[in-house]
Amino acid sequence: MNIKDEFIFDAIVVGAGHAGCEAALVCARNGLRTMLFNLNLDSVAWTPCNPSIGGPAKGIVVREIDALGGQMAKNADKSMINIRMLNTSKGPAVRALRAQLDKNEYSLHMTETLLETPGLFLRYGLVEKILVSNGKVFGIETHFGERYHAHSVIVTAGTFMKGRIFVGPKELPAGRLGEFSAETISDSIKALGIEMGRFKTGTPARISKYSIDFSVMEPQRTSEEPLAFSHFTKPKVLEDKWRVYITRTNQETHNVITDNLKYSPLYGEEKIISGTGPRYCPSIEDKVVKFGNRDSHQLFIEPEGSQNPEYYIGGMSSSLPLEAQIKMVRSVKGLENAEIIRPAYAVEYDYVYPQQLSPTLELKDIENLYFAGQVNGTSGYEEAGAQGFVAGLNASLKFLKKESWVPKRYESYIGVLIDDLVTKGTDEPYRLLTSRAEYRLIIRNDNAHLRLAGYGYGFGLIPEKFYEDVEKLRIDIDKNIERMNAIAVKPNDELNEILEKYGTSPLKETCRFLDLLKRPQISYEYIGKFDNCPIMDKNLIEQIEIEIKYAGYIERALAEVEKFKDMENVIIPTNIDYSSVSNLATEAMQKLDRIRPLSVGQAMRIPGINPADISNLVYHLRTRKNDKTEKYS
């Protein structure tokens, strides 16, 4: 290979966290010569905070990435040591998988995947400058002065841009404990006219498992049912060796925290940290200060890995001095003799205001420059992985001169995530929640493949056989629902005994099999013997039951989706002059001009845009469409 070729690529990805790995893999799998830089090649796809994947909404995102052709779910299945399905007693819209990972194995598996992928090059590099000419990116420059050229650059720098970690009033330049920060790339980004802010997050202490009294804590065992994140992995039951344990803080804990608040970089006399922290994952200091009426807070004692003697104290993120942390931890039941191996700390870092991005995650004002992950103001590995996939996919589609892809709110949580970021922005670290999704009943954990495999196959990222199996499943669902609607079930003693056993009224007259299955107390498992063509496939049964039991709710949700589509289909020209829209409020004009929404539907979701503004905009678009002298692209 010519030495010059060592510095010329189709795509460059900055940062090998969860966003960077997904972005680099999708670029390389689409045939692009791809370079992935990281500051520490021993911490690729690291899980520096909670060593877990999934949870409400987040677990569904992992399944969505998988159905599209991403890597996170496969990696999680290889590395998990404890897995559970959450919210099983609730409806299907809020169910989601969550797994504890062996964090070292997860990193090693991802590193191996990167290195074995043709056309993907993993390399150490401290990227200091983004190279731009005439409004278009053309490469990067490293700390050692090396210049790498590329068609597109994807920045996934996480918490490393001017990262500062805090333990008490002391601070250290670092993206996370033990890894130095990227100091100059932020300056390079700001010099390009990109607006940036400052956020804060944190992580709890790690303690030795040999110093924990597990006997006084409540264990959470791994699932007894076979489970897997990936549609391409056979579900399995894990050995119940690595349990999560639950304990709680107490008044003594809270007293220690209150007595030491003066040393906190957040609450001390000299407030050192200015960045906004996450509302949905607050520090223990935040909890005690803001919820002073609470006697205790729940803590999760979680393993870091099968070969790792460290345990993570979920729910006890802190930035207090080490001496205070020791007292605080040892006040908790079961942790009286706890030995802290790594202290808790806060980390403050630069992020990019995401409204500057298009829904493809390309910067609006600089062509072929993309941002993905925590650098866009999000929190969580899953949110990062999803953004990385979308940014990498769109960078590769643009390189291949193909149409870009933007996930919709009604078809995925990934669509909710990206639309929220680029349309609404965020004034705190953004976390996906089921409540953020209007159409959560139709974007569930169980149907990610039915929703998204068609896209994955179209991108060339999932096998044809898998796509064909998914399409067959779709047809089988419809056929069987139609068939069950035609089956007449007559009253009989055996059936009525089953109905009464599960708390529902006995059958007095002939009814459809479908109507029996509509009853909330009844599952196909109980009455399958009365089906004239019994179904053996558990996945098919699950889909049929959900479609039948929630038919009314699903129909209403789909009707709402059609209304949503109507507004999404009213396209706003890219070169529209909002000052020419009659009667448009000044605030609306400024916000529309800044966000540059692609459709009226997106414009409606911009905070501060009211119905009158939308009516005026729609009227303007309709009248200008009929005016042949008006030229819009």
Side-chain angles (χ1 to χ4, degrees):
M1 181 185 292
N2 190 306
I3 291 296
K4 289 185 178 179
D5 292 339
E6 292 282 345
F7 298 91
I8 300 174
F9 295 86
D10 302 323
I12 289 174
V13 181
V14 181
H18 302 280
C21 290
E22 294 290 351
L25 283 168
V26 71
C27 284
R29 287 167 176 170
N30 269 329
L32 277 66
R33 179 175 157 84
T34 304
M35 170 60 79
L36 174 59
F37 286 107
N38 205 47
L39 284 171
N40 184 355
L41 299 184
D42 295 323
S43 59
V44 168
W46 201 237
T47 51
C49 196
N50 194 337
S52 70
I53 289 289
K58 294 167 172 280
I60 301 174
V61 169
V62 178
R63 303 260 296 163
E64 290 175 349
I65 296 170
D66 185 64
L68 289 164
Q71 190 65 28
M72 181 174 276
K74 298 183 183 71
N75 226 44
D77 289 340
K78 290 179 182 178
S79 315
M80 62 188 182
I81 56 177
N82 183 305
I83 186 168
R84 299 170 66 234
M85 179 69 77
L86 305 183
N87 300 324
T88 53
S89 63
K90 299 179 182 179
V94 294
R95 292 173 197 159
L97 289 168
R98 183 183 186 276
Q100 286 297 125
L101 305 177
D102 184 313
K103 68 192 306 177
N104 291 299
E105 282 194 17
Y106 189 91
S107 176
L108 288 170
H109 286 310
M110 188 64 83
T111 303
E112 183 179 22
T113 300
L114 296 170
L115 292 174
E116 70 184 13
T117 299
L120 202 167
F121 301 84
L122 177 63
R123 189 170 297 176
Y124 163 81
L126 173 56
V127 176
E128 293 197 334
K129 191 173 183 180
I130 308 296
L131 304 177
V132 174
S133 177
N134 298 320
K136 184 182 291 188
V137 76
F138 68 89
I140 59 91
E141 185 175 306
T142 71
H143 174 76
F144 296 120
E146 303 147 341
R147 283 199 164 198
Y148 293 80
H149 293 252
H151 175 270
S152 59
V153 172
I154 306 170
V155 179
T156 65
T159 61
F160 283 80
M161 295 200 303
K162 290 192 182 295
R164 296 287 184 277
I165 66 172
F166 299 83
V167 178
K170 298 292 186 179
E171 67 175 271
L172 181 72
R176 52 185 176 238
L177 195 64
E179 298 187 47
F180 53 85
S181 65
E183 289 295 302
T184 60
I185 190 171
S186 286
D187 298 330
S188 171
I189 291 170
K190 287 176 184 175
L192 296 172
I194 301 168
E195 295 181 71
M196 303 181 75
R198 197 92 172 137
F199 273 166
K200 167 260 175 189
T201 188
T203 188
R206 304 311 197 271
I207 56 177
S208 168
K209 74 175 183 180
Y210 302 110
S211 65
I212 304 171
D213 182 1
F214 296 109
S215 67
V216 298
M217 299 180 186
E218 177 190 343
Q220 281 194 326
R221 294 173 169 83
T222 193
S223 173
E224 294 179 359
E225 294 294 320
L227 295 173
F229 275 103
S230 177
H231 302 87
F232 304 95
T233 303
K234 184 178 179 180
K236 60 185 177 181
V237 176
L238 300 174
E239 285 187 83
D240 189 28
K241 293 173 61 178
W242 303 101
R243 298 174 183 174
V244 173
Y245 292 84
I246 298 175
T247 185
R248 302 189 71 88
T249 63
N250 52 54
Q251 193 56 53
E252 183 185 349
T253 315
H254 299 181
N255 291 341
V256 171
I257 293 166
T258 303
D259 291 345
N260 286 276
L261 279 177
K262 57 182 174 289
Y263 303 116
S264 165
L266 285 168
Y267 290 102
E269 293 177 2
E270 294 184 18
K271 187 178 178 183
I272 303 169
I273 295 178
S274 59
T276 304
R279 180 187 310 186
Y280 299 103
C281 189
S283 69
I284 193 66
E285 295 97 292
D286 280 331
K287 292 177 185 177
V288 170
V289 170
K290 295 176 181 176
F291 305 101
N293 60 328
R294 296 280 297 274
D295 296 329
S296 67
H297 296 279
Q298 190 168 245
L299 302 176
F300 295 89
I301 311 303
E302 302 173 331
E304 295 254 302
S306 59
Q307 304 298 317
N308 192 331
E310 297 176 53
Y311 271 69
Y312 170 97
I313 313 176
M316 206 178 233
S317 173
S318 177
S319 57
L320 291 175
L322 180 57
E323 184 177 345
Q325 290 187 35
I326 294 171
K327 292 178 182 177
M328 176 178 70
V329 170
R330 290 182 180 173
S331 70
V332 174
K333 187 177 181 179
L335 304 182
E336 292 86 353
N337 298 304
E339 294 180 19
I340 293 179
I341 298 174
R342 304 171 199 254
Y345 62 89
V347 57
E348 191 180 36
Y349 55 93
D350 284 351
Y351 76 99
V352 170
Y353 292 148
Q355 303 100 311
Q356 299 168 99
L357 307 174
S358 75
T360 63
L361 298 183
E362 183 180 16
L363 197 71
K364 293 173 185 174
D365 295 334
I366 299 177
E367 192 176 354
N368 301 329
L369 178 57
Y370 297 77
F371 290 86
Q374 206 157 352
V375 71
N376 286 342
T378 61
S379 65
Y381 316 134
E382 303 85 356
E383 290 92 335
Q387 292 174 71
F389 182 90
V390 171
L393 175 66
N394 281 301
S396 58
L397 291 174
K398 189 170 185 180
F399 179 82
L400 298 169
K401 295 181 169 52
K402 295 181 179 180
E403 186 178 356
S404 62
W405 181 71
V406 176
K408 303 296 190 296
R409 295 185 71 92
Y410 58 80
E411 63 187 3
S412 68
Y413 272 93
I414 299 176
V416 173
L417 164 68
I418 290 175
D419 184 59
D420 278 355
L421 288 175
V422 303
T423 304
K424 303 174 184 178
T426 184
D427 55 6
E428 62 186 37
Y430 178 99
R431 179 179 181 175
L432 261 177
L433 305 165
T434 51
S435 59
R436 296 191 190 274
E438 310 93 311
Y439 312 109
R440 53 187 170 273
L441 189 54
I442 56 178
I443 54 172
R444 307 181 305 270
N445 176 80
D446 60 84
N447 69 354
H449 52 329
L450 288 162
R451 293 183 278 117
L452 300 173
Y455 290 119
Y457 178 64
F459 302 142
L461 296 172
I462 64 169
E464 183 175 10
K465 176 65 166 60
F466 177 73
Y467 170 68
E468 290 174 348
D469 288 345
V470 170
E471 291 307 298
K472 181 180 182 301
L473 174 61
R474 193 190 311 279
I475 293 168
D476 287 346
I477 293 166
D478 294 338
K479 279 184 176 179
N480 278 283
I481 291 175
E482 185 178 350
R483 181 181 62 78
M484 289 177 182
N485 194 40
I487 299 173
V489 181
K490 297 179 180 179
N492 65 75
D493 292 342
E494 185 181 7
L495 174 59
N496 283 338
E497 185 178 337
I498 291 171
L499 297 178
E500 289 180 329
K501 177 182 177 182
Y502 292 103
T504 184
S505 59
L507 203 60
K508 295 180 179 179
E509 57 186 29
T510 299
C511 79
R512 298 176 301 169
F513 187 92
L514 182 142
D515 289 330
L516 276 179
L517 204 52
K518 277 185 179 179
R519 298 188 183 191
Q521 307 92 332
I522 298 302
S523 73
Y524 188 86
E525 178 187 354
Y526 307 152
I527 62 171
K529 63 175 67 177
F530 302 103
D531 184 357
N532 59 17
C533 186
I535 304 169
M536 307 306 294
D537 186 336
K538 288 185 177 181
N539 292 325
L540 178 56
I541 292 170
E542 180 183 33
Q543 293 302 316
I544 290 169
E545 285 199 356
I546 291 171
E547 290 289 333
I548 290 175
K549 290 183 185 298
Y550 296 90
Y553 298 104
I554 291 172
E555 286 170 12
R556 283 198 289 274
L558 291 173
E560 289 298 316
V561 167
E562 290 307 311
K563 293 178 184 177
F564 178 92
K565 287 180 180 178
D566 288 343
M567 290 295 97
E568 293 297 296
N569 289 334
V570 182
I571 304 302
I572 300 175
T574 56
N575 62 344
I576 185 172
D577 179 7
Y578 285 105
S579 65
S580 68
V581 180
S582 301
N583 302 316
L584 195 62
T586 302
E587 180 187 3
M589 186 188 308
Q590 293 170 345
K591 287 185 174 181
L592 288 166
D593 192 54
R594 184 185 182 200
I595 304 298
R596 311 297 296 182
L598 302 180
S599 67
V600 169
Q602 187 184 359
M604 291 171 68
R605 296 190 295 277
I606 298 174
I609 303 296
N610 61 48
D613 298 322
I614 296 299
S615 295
N616 291 326
L617 176 59
V618 170
Y619 177 78
H620 175 86
L621 293 172
R622 286 174 178 167
T623 54
R624 291 301 185 271
K625 185 176 182 182
N626 295 326
D627 184 355
K628 296 189 181 347
T629 64
E630 188 81 20
K631 292 185 180 179
Y632 280 153
S633 62

